[in-house]
Amino acid sequence: MNHINIWTEKYRPVTFDEMVGQQEILKRVRSLVQAMNIPHLMFAGPAGTGKSTLALIIVKELFKEKWKENYLELNASDERGIDVVRQKVKDFARTKAIENIPFKVIFLDEADALTKEAQQALRRTMENYSNTCRFIMSCNYSSRIIDPIQSRCVVFRFKLLEKKDIKKRIEVIAENENLNITEKAYDAVYESSEGDCRKAINLMQATAAISPDITEDMILMVSSAAKPADMKIVLDYALAGDFLGARDKLLDTMLKESVSGTEIIKGIQKEIWNLEIEPSIKVRLTEKTGEAEFRMIEGSDEFVQLQALLASFVLAGKGES
Amino acid sequence: MSLSEKYRAKKYEDIVKQDKAIDEVKSFLKQFPKKKSLILYGPAGTGKTSLVLAAARENNLEILELNSSDLRNRAKLEETLRPAAQQRSLFKKGKILLMDEVDGVTGTDTGGIPELVRVINSTHYPIIMTCNDVWQSKLSPVRQKSKLVEMKPLDVGTIISLLMKITEKENLDKSPYFLKQIAIKSQGDTRAAINDLESYSETDEFTIDLTEKRDVQASIFNILRRLFKERQDFIRLFDNSELSLDQIFLWIEENIPKEYSGRELAKAYAALASADVFRGRIYKNQSWRFLIYQNIFQSAGISYAKDSPLGGFTKYERPKRILKIWLNNQKIAKKKTISKKYARFVHCSTKRIMRDFPILTPMLKQEDVQKKLRFSDEEIAYVNGLK
């Protein structure tokens, strides 16, 4: 047990029984682990639904207290390039696993952050070390993983957690931390977590830092203060015809809050329907937004695509499209 | 003596069509030491050096000149420029230190620019520098210290009348048509025009090949002007620039709103966005074939966002985005190292932690967390300073 006061770690489930949601997946994985042999696994699904947690439970069940020596965790979006990943895998896989299990486990988090070329290279690595290593990969969308890798893995699809699941975890925390939570506050936590358990727990801890008596209002206050990238202001500038104002605001938001262009686009897409413009123009703008998101993948500079999109909003503000 | 030296301007009144620059130099000398140095910048042959020489003559000042042929590393500058900046002039009342072609201070001139800054700080005499491109990053320390004065290329008419004066004095018999062609070919470079006049004056008159232009380093301002206002020569528009295509891209991005609004603005940015898509394809697949598409969207695509070419003068500005990103990176450096440590602990990517940073702040303020994650003193100070 961790003695450090970060709740997402302190209350991370360490056994299959503690996990909430994903019951079908748990059943199958549990039987694989009991046979003491796992294939390569792929966990696909949204953030905060238990992918890393399950990977950790698997290695802890397999290797017991020796799990740390037999487990390597890599985050594809943090490692610089596939070469680093390969080198680390190579170094790790070189020594044999101890205990009565003939393999070690590598958890490659956010594998969909790798480019297609990097994934091709990874596929070779998987083959080369298939005798001594099992890979568990996590990704948000399995469609971003190339077929050859998918076909080597057993794919499990994680779903967003339901309200009862998230409530169950929070109740455990509330009891241990001596918190008083109103029923409505549970609803508010679930609403703003959008089925992401990590988000829900972080929100709880941030709120509990203010007071152990947690109400709906407090949850709403904390979650709105920490809401990333408010696109409304940017779009308001643009619709009012102030392109430069909108552009500056956008760049500031992106830099200050460390959000990527893709996330900004998502925010814009959601915001369009709250704007006070003709529905027909909203449809046109949604098309433009989708096009910009698509172009971001092909292009080299996200901010350029966003500027082009802002210019369309300036036009829309004049009633044109 | 070559004609161009013989007819070099000697007095303020000889320098044509640069009244604004002359006034700036006059007031600079008058107000010295309010500002200690001045940079004259502009294309070749616009009269930068002549203006300094004329200023010295008119004010009865001595000139100490260092040009690009001298080695200008730190030792050399210390040895010559520094004493000169301190000592009294021997015969005349004062002096001007002329540092010609500062953009020629290159890699081999180690420490040249920092030394120049030190000299500017301590000089007793005005320092005037000349250069073609004042916007190079290496000049930025000097730029901040100095008054900037631009000299613009001369128009064809001015150069023709100048050439006519010279042909009269030299008794050369040249047709106006010939002079006009030389003037056009010079692209505002007086020295080039006079040199051409001289080299062609001994042969029989013939038609000058107008395509054989001097390879003028097109300044970014010229490129933008041609792009937005003149609509010409798209394919080769970016060929003569010192800046890379990517740098030009940023300049265009910054300045589109200065030229366009409304529908044209949207069209221009759409073209730029298309150029970026092709640029992305080049980077990702090394498909250099696509360069031509990027080029055309980045030039003609921008230019034809408007139905008819624009007139008037626009003051273009340097791209600010890269600077902003850089400043921000400095600012969030701590946030990044903190996020990295935290991310490893909670099995998460650094990026996600950076994004969730506001809500995580209360957790990061806990002493035991800071200890466990081995935050440095600066990192602790950063976190505790957050709201």
Side-chain angles (χ1 to χ4, degrees):
Chain A
M1 196 76 213
N2 289 299
H3 296 293
I4 186 164
N5 199 26
I6 294 173
W7 292 359
T8 49
E9 281 313 299
K10 196 172 170 186
Y11 296 104
R12 189 188 283 282
V14 286
T15 62
F16 287 117
D17 292 329
E18 280 180 286
M19 269 194 86
V20 292
Q22 331 294 355
Q23 292 307 316
E24 276 306 303
I25 297 175
L26 286 179
K27 219 157 72 190
R28 288 172 63 196
V29 170
R30 200 195 280 249
S31 69
L32 287 172
V33 170
Q34 268 158 7
M36 298 301 257
N37 192 8
I38 58 164
H40 297 310
L41 302 174
M42 178 176 297
F43 296 162
T49 52
K51 300 186 295 295
S52 305
T53 300
L54 186 55
L56 284 163
I57 291 176
I58 290 173
V59 290
K60 282 173 187 167
E61 290 281 331
L62 282 174
F63 304 106
K64 308 293 178 199
E65 64 275 14
K66 294 252 171 73
W67 69 274
K68 276 190 178 158
E69 294 96 271
N70 295 296
Y71 174 69
L72 174 71
E73 182 176 311
L74 294 169
N75 193 303
S77 84
D78 283 354
E79 304 298 336
R80 290 185 183 275
I82 186 67
D83 288 338
V84 180
V85 173
R86 274 153 90 185
Q87 192 56 43
K88 284 193 174 169
V89 169
K90 218 163 132 187
D91 292 343
F92 175 72
R94 193 176 296 150
T95 54
K96 267 190 103 174
I98 27 181
E99 298 302 301
N100 48 351
I101 294 160
F103 57 82
K104 295 175 157 191
V105 174
I106 294 174
F107 180 51
L108 185 60
D109 207 357
E110 301 192 24
D112 44 359
L114 295 173
T115 61
K116 295 261 182 302
E117 292 73 29
Q119 291 185 29
Q120 290 291 356
L122 181 69
R123 165 192 166 187
R124 288 291 307 152
T125 313
M126 284 174 77
E127 276 164 2
N128 290 343
Y129 296 100
S130 61
N131 288 332
T132 51
C133 277
R134 294 290 180 275
F135 279 82
I136 305 176
M137 316 223 204
S138 88
C139 59
N140 291 137
Y141 303 102
S142 63
S143 57
R144 290 203 199 131
I145 306 289
I146 57 171
D147 286 344
I149 289 188
Q150 286 203 49
S151 83
R152 283 168 176 76
C153 297
V154 178
V155 182
F156 292 101
R157 292 183 200 285
F158 285 59
K159 292 186 193 68
L160 282 172
L161 293 177
E162 290 171 33
K163 193 169 151 189
K164 65 172 172 33
D165 299 326
I166 290 197
K167 194 177 169 194
K168 210 165 146 191
R169 284 314 292 167
I170 292 177
E171 276 169 349
V172 172
I173 296 173
E175 203 183 307
N176 280 286
E177 301 286 336
N178 296 316
L179 306 175
N180 293 314
I181 308 177
T182 66
E183 199 56 36
K184 280 200 164 169
Y186 278 120
D187 294 346
V189 171
Y190 173 71
E191 284 301 319
S192 68
S193 77
E194 297 171 311
D196 176 342
C197 201
R198 182 191 289 116
K199 223 168 163 181
I201 296 176
N202 279 332
L203 179 56
M204 284 301 300
Q205 191 175 6
T207 315
I210 306 172
S211 155
D213 299 307
I214 293 171
T215 63
E216 184 189 12
D217 288 347
M218 283 168 64
I219 295 283
L220 293 178
M221 187 188 78
V222 173
S223 70
S224 70
K227 203 174 202 166
D230 190 0
M231 280 301 106
K232 176 124 187 24
I233 307 166
V234 173
L235 296 188
D236 282 347
Y237 272 109
L239 291 175
D242 182 358
F243 175 79
L244 288 175
R247 179 168 84 168
D248 282 353
K249 190 80 196 137
L250 177 67
L251 184 59
D252 284 352
T253 309
M254 283 181 76
L255 294 178
K256 228 177 263 163
E257 302 181 18
S258 319
V259 281
S260 71
T262 337
E263 288 166 72
I264 294 281
I265 281 270
K266 276 186 207 156
I268 291 179
Q269 181 263 317
K270 279 186 200 156
E271 198 57 50
I272 289 178
W273 293 93
N274 301 328
L275 298 173
E276 287 175 10
I277 44 175
E278 290 293 315
S280 61
I281 294 183
K282 288 183 183 177
V283 175
R284 284 285 296 144
L285 285 179
T286 305
E287 185 192 342
K288 289 246 158 83
T289 309
E291 188 63 28
E293 183 170 353
F294 176 71
R295 283 173 152 216
M296 262 184 198
I297 303 166
E298 288 275 292
S300 68
D301 188 336
E302 292 180 331
F303 195 67
V304 174
Q305 303 299 337
L306 288 173
Q307 280 178 91
L309 188 57
L310 281 187
S312 311
F313 276 86
V314 171
L315 262 191
K318 299 195 169 99
E320 301 167 50
S321 68
Chain B
M1 196 203 276
S2 71
L3 282 184
S4 60
E5 273 305 312
K6 189 169 171 187
Y7 288 96
R8 188 186 266 286
K10 306 224 165 37
K11 290 171 291 193
Y12 283 146
E13 59 177 56
D14 297 338
I15 300 167
V16 283
K17 295 272 172 151
Q18 302 286 6
D19 299 345
K20 192 161 169 279
I22 295 172
D23 288 343
E24 300 262 15
V25 170
K26 276 185 188 164
S27 78
F28 163 74
L29 289 174
K30 209 185 214 168
Q31 289 168 0
F32 180 84
K34 197 176 140 206
K35 270 265 179 210
K36 291 185 165 183
S37 59
L38 174 143
I39 303 180
L40 280 173
Y41 66 97
T46 46
K48 296 183 294 294
T49 311
S50 301
L51 176 52
V52 183
L53 296 176
R57 194 181 289 254
E58 300 248 350
N59 291 296
N60 197 23
L61 299 168
E62 196 180 317
I63 280 211
L64 185 98
E65 183 181 342
L66 272 179
N67 64 34
S68 61
S69 55
D70 304 309
L71 180 67
R72 286 184 293 193
N73 61 21
R74 182 165 168 204
K76 176 77 178 174
L77 277 172
E78 254 179 7
E79 184 186 308
T80 55
L81 196 52
R82 182 121 1 130
Q86 316 280 354
Q87 289 158 7
R88 301 237 152 254
S89 170
L90 273 181
F91 307 108
K92 297 182 178 175
K93 273 175 268 162
K95 55 187 165 190
I96 295 176
L97 304 180
L98 169 62
M99 187 79 184
D100 223 353
E101 296 162 46
V102 272
D103 35 7
V105 179
T106 54
T108 51
D109 305 337
T110 344
I113 295 289
E115 179 59 20
L116 193 53
V117 172
R118 275 191 288 275
V119 172
I120 291 173
N121 285 333
S122 63
T123 184
H124 295 165
Y125 299 102
I127 296 180
I128 300 184
M129 291 158 276
T130 71
C131 69
N132 297 129
D133 177 14
V134 77
W135 301 114
Q136 301 171 63
S137 54
K138 70 176 179 196
L139 290 182
S140 106
V142 184
R143 202 161 58 217
Q144 287 158 12
K145 295 258 157 212
S146 310
K147 179 171 179 170
L148 302 185
V149 177
E150 186 185 2
M151 299 197 65
K152 296 202 177 61
L154 298 173
D155 60 88
V156 175
T158 312
I159 293 186
I160 293 178
S161 60
L162 192 80
L163 292 175
M164 277 163 70
K165 255 186 227 158
I166 294 173
T167 48
E168 223 169 84
K169 284 192 183 151
E170 295 288 315
N171 277 321
L172 301 170
D173 186 22
K174 298 292 161 204
S175 76
Y177 174 72
F178 174 74
L179 296 182
K180 188 179 169 192
Q181 280 189 313
I182 287 181
I184 292 172
K185 184 176 163 235
S186 75
Q187 295 191 327
D189 180 342
T190 331
R191 191 187 311 121
I194 301 175
N195 284 341
D196 278 351
L197 179 72
E198 191 170 23
S199 62
Y200 287 120
S201 64
E202 284 160 30
T203 60
D204 283 328
E205 228 171 86
F206 60 92
T207 312
I208 294 163
D209 179 9
L210 282 177
T211 58
E212 180 216 325
K213 287 176 186 166
R214 274 193 172 68
D215 237 2
V216 183
Q217 280 285 354
S219 91
I220 184 66
F221 299 101
N222 279 330
I223 291 180
L224 292 175
R225 207 187 59 235
R226 282 160 69 186
L227 182 67
F228 286 115
K229 318 259 194 207
E230 291 169 13
R231 287 187 177 172
Q232 42 148 302
D233 204 7
F234 284 123
I235 301 300
R236 297 186 46 227
L237 182 57
F238 305 129
D239 286 0
N240 288 328
S241 175
E242 274 185 349
L243 298 179
S244 69
L245 203 56
D246 286 350
Q247 285 170 306
I248 297 173
F249 191 100
L250 287 168
W251 276 88
I252 296 173
E253 176 198 316
E254 180 74 35
N255 288 296
I256 286 176
K258 290 190 170 292
E259 296 283 17
Y260 297 134
S261 65
R263 184 163 300 281
E264 283 116 18
L265 184 86
K267 269 166 100 178
Y269 273 115
L272 198 68
S274 297
D276 178 61
V277 168
F278 285 105
R279 181 166 66 169
R281 289 172 184 154
I282 297 171
Y283 287 167
K284 277 174 198 138
N285 311 317
Q286 301 296 307
S287 338
W288 288 98
R289 162 80 196 126
F290 287 150
L291 190 59
I292 185 69
Y293 298 104
Q294 183 193 341
N295 229 318
I296 287 170
F297 278 110
Q298 194 171 330
S299 55
I302 306 287
S303 198
Y304 282 93
K306 194 150 196 155
D307 295 335
S308 50
L310 300 153
F313 171 77
T314 311
K315 192 166 183 297
Y316 298 113
E317 276 178 33
R318 354 199 52 227
K320 290 189 277 288
R321 179 148 69 100
I322 299 301
L323 180 69
K324 272 193 183 167
I325 292 174
W326 185 82
L327 286 175
N328 188 64
N329 284 344
Q330 303 298 106
K331 236 196 294 187
I332 66 166
K334 294 277 169 310
K335 181 174 162 187
K336 197 165 185 183
T337 56
I338 291 168
S339 298
K340 209 169 168 184
K341 289 176 182 176
Y342 184 83
R344 201 165 304 152
F345 187 74
V346 299
H347 311 276
C348 208
S349 70
T350 312
K351 269 187 206 140
R352 184 167 297 159
I353 299 301
M354 302 260 298
R355 207 175 54 209
D356 295 345
F357 211 81
I359 203 154
L360 298 174
T361 313
M363 284 75 122
L364 296 169
K365 283 188 177 187
Q366 303 176 98
E367 218 171 299
D368 62 332
V369 172
Q370 296 176 347
K371 213 180 270 171
K372 172 91 182 179
L373 297 181
R374 301 213 174 111
F375 284 2
S376 68
D377 291 347
E378 293 90 31
E379 285 166 351
I380 292 172
Y382 175 85
V383 170
N384 293 345
L386 291 172
K387 266 194 292 181

